[in-house]
Amino acid sequence: MRPILQLSHIASLGTIALLLLMVACGTAAPATPSASQAEPPVDTSATAVPTANPTPMPESSSAIAVNPGKLTWMTAGWGNERFTYNYGVGGGNNYGRILHGFLIATNEKTELLPGIATDWQISEDGLTWTFTIREGVKFHDGSDLTAEDVWWTWMHYWGKDESGSALERATQSSAQALARIVERIEQPAPDQVSITLTQGDGGFPAAMVSEAAANWYGVVPQRPKVHDDLQESAYDSNPIAAGPMRLVNHVQAEVMQFERFDEYYYQPDNGLPEDRRVKFTTLDLRLIPEESTRVAAIRAGEADIAPASLPTKDQVEAGGGRIVFGPEGIYLRVMLMGCFKAEVPCRDIRVRQALDYAIDKEVLGNQLFGGPEVFQVKGWAHITPSTIGYSPELDPWPFDPDKARQLLADAGYPGGEGFGKLIVNTWVSTAMPFLPESAQVAADSWRNELGLDVEVRVGDEAALKEATLTGELHGQVLWRDNEASLDKSSLYRSSYASPEHGSRLHEDPELFALAQQTLAVTDPTKRDEAFNLLHKKAREESYELGIGYVNIPWAVGPRVTEWQPWPMSFYPSNLHGIVLK
């Protein structure tokens, strides 16, 4: 175990390229795991055939200009401030991606590239993914990151040993969903780690272990036990990881201070094509929930980057700053919870579809968000135009109140009679402007067009996410934000493919089967088509409503001379592309 270091405060766009990276071209002969100790089993007889990952020649290593100053980044929230994703809830992307390193990297085209892993492959039966781990990767404490660390990390996130099960302990829905189908995690060779599932998951690399994922499952140093409360608390007090910056001070609910990690693995000296070390020395990530305070700090030169909204553009520019858009960063995900229960009105598909037709998405986008520069009425539910399987037929249904009223009447609730109160749960988003306000717009539409009694409740994000797993929200609406990403395998696993999962949206055996079959597709020539069919089926069933997505406005101060956030990134992205005066 690595020593605990004390802190000051304890507190695509490239879809085709993605598919080519996932060519199934080999078999892995896994060994039987040992559950009695926190050491990975090794099977030296396993064969490894690399996938067709891009291997550009690295640039010659040279020093980059590093500004000696500090970047101040303000954020609206960071959830429960845990430092591993299986326990992190709400806003952790804002700090987790600064701290952690990932097996698979990405770029401005949302392509998957080698990162901590040099290559990855899938077995012929489509059940085992094997990753080869790069030599020379360092953790923030200077120790080497090894395949044993990756094995331990995966066991902690998704595995089970004598100290417990990730399925029982994880608070993240995606961690629970994957843990349900993990058969074993092991080392087929000293520099390799493999995960074998009971069901195929062709999206595992993109959706679970890449920078392009909505999740931030970074690699952490191994500890004596896979699951242990005291060790997990100690890690949160001093999180050691392998990302571009290391945490040096943490004042809860106030600030996380990071410093540049000179040995960050993504550089030519480690065989990678460019130097992605940050070009500044320190970063203050400050928690400032109020937009007016963030914008005032940008104007006063007290902050450099902060989430904003389009109406603040004039104020930002008056202070010498600018608004920069993060394309396709986040979307409205409207979930109708527990509609498989016999006693709830949304059990009837006509009710679910009526709720969708009764919302004027164009008015919502134009009047609330400021128009198409920020809000795009495109995609369906969790699918945006750059997601695998998207097609224009998935775009939101039109505003049709007459059809909505007829559907509701046909379901037995004419003019809302007998429907009961419809509760809409939402929260103040850390990334999307006007999330509670957009829920109120929908509630007003349902009152005015359908005659429903609607109540909007603004709650705690972490508590509401937990409630989706326990059934407390059955018969209610969860009006939330969610991360845009290339591959939605992880989301489908938890919401549509797992009959036992607490946050499942349905109990339709045919839809479960279709989701499982689609997730198992690994042929790069078939995945897009397979997911398109699944998207269309899920859209028709309307357990989720299609509203649209947001190009995230960032207020950027005059000290930042260069920066462009990457697509599908609502969190601090492209840190190495930031240049300060």
Side-chain angles (χ1 to χ4, degrees), residues 350-359 400-409 413-417 419 422 442-454:
R350 293 169 294 188
V351 169
R352 305 195 295 270
Q353 293 180 349
L355 294 174
D356 203 328
Y357 279 117
I359 301 173
D400 192 338
D402 290 335
K403 186 170 185 175
R405 285 189 285 270
Q406 186 62 56
L407 284 166
L408 195 65
Y413 306 101
E417 182 180 346
F419 194 95
L422 178 62
D444 291 342
S445 295
W446 292 333
R447 289 191 197 98
N448 297 333
E449 304 298 346
L450 301 178
L452 298 180
D453 178 13
V454 188

Side-chain angles (χ1 to χ4, degrees), residues 338-353:
C339 293
F340 46 83
K341 294 290 185 178
E343 65 272 17
V344 300
C346 67
R347 182 179 179 87
D348 193 313
I349 189 174
R350 293 169 294 188
V351 169
R352 305 195 295 270
Q353 293 180 349

Side-chain angles (χ1 to χ4, degrees), residues 385-425:
S386 296
T387 305
I388 292 175
Y390 167 81
S391 65
E393 302 95 316
L394 292 165
D395 287 344
W397 289 350
F399 177 52
D400 192 338
D402 290 335
K403 186 170 185 175
R405 285 189 285 270
Q406 186 62 56
L407 284 166
L408 195 65
D410 291 345
Y413 306 101
E417 182 180 346
F419 194 95
K421 178 174 286 189
L422 178 62
I423 297 172
V424 181
N425 301 279

Side-chain angles (χ1 to χ4, degrees), residues 48 55 72-73 81 106 136-137 202 208 213 216 218 242 261 273 290 319 330 339 351 357 430 434 458 504 512 519:
T55 54
T72 299
W73 193 306
E81 303 180 59
T106 189
V137 178
M208 301 302 286
W216 47 280
F261 183 42
E290 302 82 13
I330 198 163
C339 293
V351 169
Y357 279 117
T430 63
F434 311 123
V458 181
R504 66 191 182 279
F512 281 130
L519 292 174

